[in-house]
Amino acid sequence: MRALQQTSLNGPSDLRLVTDAPVPVPGPGEVLIRVVAAGINFVDISQARGTFAGGPQPPYIAGIEAAGEVTAVGEGVELELGTHLVGVSIRGGAFAEYLVLPAVAALPVPAGWDDEQALGLVVSWPTASAALRLGGLVAGQTVLIHAAAGGTGQAAVKMAKHYGATVIATASRRSTRWCADWAPSTS
């Protein structure tokens, strides 16, 4: 199986393409998906830099968020093969051709959605929603949203506008550098 392996805690520039990673096997209560789309989140960057508390130690298969097609199920899981799911695995593995997810934490990709569209359902949109609710946002208020160039920031901007708030958004040049950092080396 092809996968992106984090080889150090020096950041995402130390991702390496491996072609001989073992295909994971789902255990009880787990599901194996063929990854169609994977998201890049702040957690991925934090893990790659060694700043995520309790994060994996290199070498590890990177990525926490993926969507794809069910190809196998573990004991106790009643899902049909071919079902498309989206989910998060904090232990990583999403930047690979196959990923094991806890079945109870995986959501079906909504009808009519692509796997890529569903990625925001498990990290970015719930995080933005929680932040806006904790802040007590109501229609007519003005809200300042930092890091609006990222997935969670974009979700927060859209939600705040939907709820009738005036949005002031910020982003930094660093946001674009993070994206450039994720260009993996193939050596």
Side-chain angles (χ1 to χ4, degrees):
M1 167 178 83
R2 293 179 305 155
L4 292 178
Q5 184 179 68
Q6 184 67 39
T7 60
S8 78
L9 295 179
N10 295 325
S13 61
D14 284 342
L15 280 172
R16 299 291 181 261
L17 177 65
V18 295
T19 58
D20 59 352
V23 175
V25 176
E30 295 179 328
V31 60
L32 179 69
I33 64 168
R34 181 184 58 78
V35 175
V36 174
I40 298 175
N41 295 283
F42 188 72
V43 169
D44 299 311
I45 295 166
S46 297
Q47 287 181 344
R49 292 192 173 136
T51 59
F52 187 82
Q57 294 301 305
Y60 65 90
I61 304 302
I64 65 160
E65 177 185 38
E69 179 182 0
V70 174
T71 60
V73 296
E75 182 182 331
V77 177
E78 295 182 17
L79 282 170
E80 288 188 33
L81 299 183
T83 300
H84 282 253
L85 301 175
V86 60
V88 172
S89 173
I90 292 298
R91 61 185 175 186
F95 298 166
E97 292 179 294
Y98 292 89
L99 171 68
V100 168
L101 293 169
V104 297
L107 302 170
V109 171
W113 286 33
D114 293 332
D115 290 325
E116 295 85 356
Q117 292 172 304
L119 287 174
L121 291 175
V122 291
V123 176
S124 297
W125 283 79
T127 301
S129 177
L132 293 172
R133 280 194 320 266
L134 286 170
L137 182 69
V138 295
Q141 288 183 323
T142 298
V143 61
L144 172 61
I145 298 173
H146 290 290
T152 302
Q154 289 178 39
V157 167
K158 288 178 184 176
M159 279 186 219
K161 284 183 173 184
H162 174 78
Y163 289 116
T166 299
V167 175
I168 299 171
T170 67
S172 72
R173 290 183 184 181
R174 188 172 183 189
S175 299
T176 57
R177 283 198 311 259
W178 282 348
C179 293
D181 279 349
W182 281 95
S185 169
T186 56
S187 59

